[in-house]
Short mmCIF file of all heavy atoms in Angstrom, two decimals:
data_model
loop_
_atom_site.label_atom_id
_atom_site.label_comp_id
_atom_site.label_asym_id
_atom_site.label_seq_id
_atom_site.Cartn_x
_atom_site.Cartn_y
_atom_site.Cartn_z
N VAL A 88 14.95 18.91 4.51
CA VAL A 88 14.67 19.57 5.78
C VAL A 88 14.90 18.58 6.91
O VAL A 88 14.44 17.45 6.87
CB VAL A 88 13.20 20.06 5.81
CG1 VAL A 88 12.89 20.70 7.14
CG2 VAL A 88 12.94 20.99 4.65
N ILE A 89 15.60 19.02 7.92
CA ILE A 89 15.80 18.18 9.11
C ILE A 89 14.68 18.52 10.09
O ILE A 89 14.57 19.66 10.54
CB ILE A 89 17.18 18.42 9.75
CG1 ILE A 89 18.26 18.05 8.74
CG2 ILE A 89 17.31 17.64 11.05
CD1 ILE A 89 19.66 18.38 9.21
N LEU A 90 13.86 17.56 10.37
CA LEU A 90 12.72 17.77 11.26
C LEU A 90 13.15 17.57 12.70
O LEU A 90 13.96 16.71 13.01
CB LEU A 90 11.59 16.81 10.90
CG LEU A 90 11.08 16.91 9.47
CD1 LEU A 90 10.06 15.80 9.22
CD2 LEU A 90 10.46 18.26 9.21
N GLU A 91 12.56 18.37 13.59
CA GLU A 91 12.83 18.19 15.02
C GLU A 91 12.21 16.90 15.51
O GLU A 91 11.10 16.56 15.11
CB GLU A 91 12.25 19.35 15.82
CG GLU A 91 13.08 20.59 15.77
CD GLU A 91 12.55 21.63 16.74
OE1 GLU A 91 12.00 21.25 17.80
OE2 GLU A 91 12.67 22.80 16.42
N ARG A 92 12.90 16.22 16.35
CA ARG A 92 12.37 15.01 16.95
C ARG A 92 11.69 15.39 18.26
O ARG A 92 12.21 16.22 18.99
CB ARG A 92 13.49 14.02 17.18
CG ARG A 92 14.11 13.58 15.87
CD ARG A 92 15.22 12.59 16.11
NE ARG A 92 15.70 12.11 14.84
CZ ARG A 92 16.93 12.29 14.40
NH1 ARG A 92 17.81 12.93 15.14
NH2 ARG A 92 17.30 11.81 13.24
N PRO A 93 10.56 14.77 18.56
CA PRO A 93 9.81 15.16 19.78
C PRO A 93 10.67 15.06 21.04
O PRO A 93 10.52 15.85 21.96
CB PRO A 93 8.64 14.18 19.82
CG PRO A 93 8.54 13.62 18.46
CD PRO A 93 9.88 13.75 17.82
N TRP A 94 11.55 14.11 21.11
CA TRP A 94 12.35 13.92 22.31
C TRP A 94 13.50 14.92 22.39
O TRP A 94 14.22 14.96 23.37
CB TRP A 94 12.89 12.49 22.39
CG TRP A 94 13.70 12.08 21.21
CD1 TRP A 94 15.04 12.26 21.03
CD2 TRP A 94 13.22 11.43 20.04
NE1 TRP A 94 15.42 11.77 19.82
CE2 TRP A 94 14.33 11.24 19.18
CE3 TRP A 94 11.98 10.98 19.63
CZ2 TRP A 94 14.21 10.63 17.95
CZ3 TRP A 94 11.88 10.37 18.39
CH2 TRP A 94 12.98 10.20 17.56
N GLU A 95 13.68 15.73 21.37
CA GLU A 95 14.73 16.74 21.39
C GLU A 95 14.17 18.15 21.56
O GLU A 95 14.85 19.13 21.30
CB GLU A 95 15.56 16.66 20.11
CG GLU A 95 16.33 15.37 20.00
CD GLU A 95 17.07 15.24 18.68
OE1 GLU A 95 16.80 16.03 17.75
OE2 GLU A 95 17.90 14.35 18.57
N ASP A 96 12.93 18.24 22.00
CA ASP A 96 12.27 19.53 22.20
C ASP A 96 12.94 20.24 23.36
O ASP A 96 13.04 19.72 24.47
CB ASP A 96 10.79 19.31 22.46
CG ASP A 96 10.02 20.61 22.55
OD1 ASP A 96 10.60 21.67 22.26
OD2 ASP A 96 8.82 20.55 22.90
N ASP A 97 13.39 21.47 23.14
CA ASP A 97 14.08 22.24 24.19
C ASP A 97 13.20 22.50 25.40
O ASP A 97 13.67 22.53 26.53
CB ASP A 97 14.59 23.57 23.64
CG ASP A 97 15.77 23.38 22.70
OD1 ASP A 97 16.44 22.34 22.82
OD2 ASP A 97 16.01 24.27 21.86
N ASP A 98 11.90 22.68 25.17
CA ASP A 98 11.00 22.97 26.28
C ASP A 98 10.83 21.76 27.20
O ASP A 98 10.49 21.89 28.36
CB ASP A 98 9.64 23.41 25.78
CG ASP A 98 9.71 24.75 25.07
OD1 ASP A 98 10.65 25.52 25.34
OD2 ASP A 98 8.84 25.00 24.21
N MET A 99 11.03 20.58 26.68
CA MET A 99 10.80 19.37 27.44
C MET A 99 12.08 18.84 28.11
O MET A 99 12.03 17.94 28.90
CB MET A 99 10.22 18.28 26.53
CG MET A 99 8.88 18.64 25.90
SD MET A 99 7.59 18.91 27.12
CE MET A 99 7.32 17.24 27.65
N SER A 100 13.22 19.37 27.74
CA SER A 100 14.46 18.83 28.29
C SER A 100 14.59 19.24 29.76
O SER A 100 14.12 20.30 30.18
CB SER A 100 15.66 19.33 27.49
OG SER A 100 15.71 20.75 27.50
#
Side-chain angles (χ1 to χ4, degrees):
V88 178
I89 299 174
L90 302 174
E91 281 188 32
R92 296 180 175 118
W94 57 88
E95 294 176 347
D96 186 8
D97 288 337
D98 293 336
M99 299 298 288
S100 59

